[in-house]
Amino acid sequence: ELYQEAMGKGGVGAIFSLARCYAYGRGVEKSEARAAELYQEAMDKGNVGAIRNLGVCYYYGRGVEQSEARAAELYQEAMDKGSVRAIRMLGVFYEHGRGVEQSEARAAELYQEAMDKGNVGAIRNLGVCYYYGRGVEQSEARAAELYHEAMDKGDVGAIRNLGLCYELGRGVEQSEARAAELYHEAMDKGSVDAMNNLGLCYEHGIGVKKSEARAAELYQEAMGKGGVGAIFSLARCYAYGRGVEKSEARAAE
């Protein structure tokens, strides 16, 4: 109600905040279409965050017809007006060729720029670039350094990625025990992918005492939280009777 009142008095920030309310159904009935309208209105009045969020609407087709090209244009506009988050988002677009011509080199440049301006997620993204050699000379050691830096700054995905480095000995001295610790830490902070990784550790005894039952529990939990990889892992458990009663029918499901 207060956002609505402030909006009526010309408050641009209130328009943006009200749009978020509609986007997430906070205090009002959720309406992605109304949210998009309000982001457009706030954007027309100069709110940079609204430009970026409207880009998100176009990317996912929330309240507007989906258009990755339009999303990329809006991220570019938001970036040009100072949005650091938009720099990272545009980097993702260039990395994967979404709405723009793919350019891993340009993606890496954008991640570096966003990182230099304080975006923590961009540190992890740049780490991925170095890990796979996307747009930069491949360096697993540099990737591990960047994952560690992002982890220290609170990025959960980086904790899981660093776990992979330790598990496989890429860019760091191999330590399966350290890998399992990192997967556990990332899982505790909400990473579903790390939950699946930890399940694999328990299934095969990687850095932890082997426990197929514990592995199956983790796969089940990760699957319940939307983890696609965990579905295949749990299916394998049922197919071979690992930690659960063997059931080829359940595996096929």
Side-chain angles (χ1 to χ4, degrees):
E1 291 176 0
L2 291 170
Y3 288 145
Q4 189 74 52
E5 182 180 344
M7 173 180 152
K9 294 180 180 179
V12 179
I15 300 172
F16 175 72
S17 297
L18 188 60
R20 287 172 56 84
C21 289
Y22 276 102
Y24 299 104
R26 295 174 182 165
V28 293
E29 186 175 348
K30 184 176 179 178
S31 172
E32 293 178 342
R34 181 60 178 146
E37 289 173 358
L38 289 165
Y39 285 141
Q40 181 69 60
E41 185 177 344
M43 168 182 148
D44 292 342
K45 294 184 177 182
N47 187 286
V48 177
I51 304 172
R52 182 192 65 241
N53 285 14
L54 188 59
V56 174
C57 291
Y58 275 100
Y59 178 69
Y60 291 105
R62 295 175 181 167
V64 293
E65 186 176 349
Q66 187 178 24
S67 171
E68 292 183 348
R70 180 59 179 146
E73 289 173 357
L74 288 164
Y75 291 152
Q76 181 70 60
E77 183 176 346
M79 181 183 93
D80 292 343
K81 293 183 177 179
S83 172
V84 177
R85 287 175 63 189
I87 301 173
R88 180 196 174 217
M89 290 173 176
L90 196 58
V92 173
F93 272 43
Y94 274 102
E95 182 178 357
H96 301 287
R98 297 173 182 167
V100 294
E101 185 176 349
Q102 187 177 25
S103 172
E104 293 179 344
R106 180 60 178 145
E109 289 173 358
L110 288 166
Y111 292 145
Q112 182 70 60
E113 183 179 347
M115 169 181 151
D116 291 343
K117 293 181 177 179
N119 187 285
V120 176
I123 304 174
R124 170 170 44 85
N125 289 127
L126 189 59
V128 172
C129 290
Y130 275 100
Y131 189 85
Y132 292 105
R134 295 176 183 167
V136 293
E137 186 176 348
Q138 186 178 24
S139 171
E140 292 175 349
R142 180 59 178 146
E145 290 173 358
L146 288 164
Y147 292 151
H148 206 295
E149 182 179 346
M151 180 182 85
D152 290 344
K153 293 181 178 180
D155 188 275
V156 177
I159 303 173
R160 183 248 179 185
N161 287 6
L162 189 59
L164 282 169
C165 290
Y166 275 101
E167 181 181 350
L168 302 173
R170 294 183 177 169
V172 293
E173 185 176 348
Q174 186 175 25
S175 171
E176 293 180 346
R178 180 59 177 146
E181 289 173 358
L182 288 165
Y183 292 146
H184 204 296
E185 182 179 347
M187 179 185 83
D188 288 345
K189 292 181 178 179
S191 172
V192 177
D193 288 335
M195 191 178 294
N196 185 56
N197 288 122
L198 188 60
L200 289 166
C201 288
Y202 276 102
E203 183 179 355
H204 301 288
I206 299 170
V208 293
K209 185 178 180 180
K210 184 174 179 177
S211 172
E212 293 179 345
R214 179 60 179 145
E217 289 173 358
L218 288 166
Y219 296 148
Q220 183 69 55
E221 186 177 350
M223 186 178 84
K225 293 181 178 180
V228 177
I231 300 173
F232 296 103
S233 298
L234 188 60
R236 184 177 60 251
C237 288
Y238 276 103
Y240 296 101
R242 296 177 182 169
V244 292
E245 186 176 348
K246 184 176 179 178
S247 171
E248 293 180 351
R250 178 62 178 142
E253 291 175 2

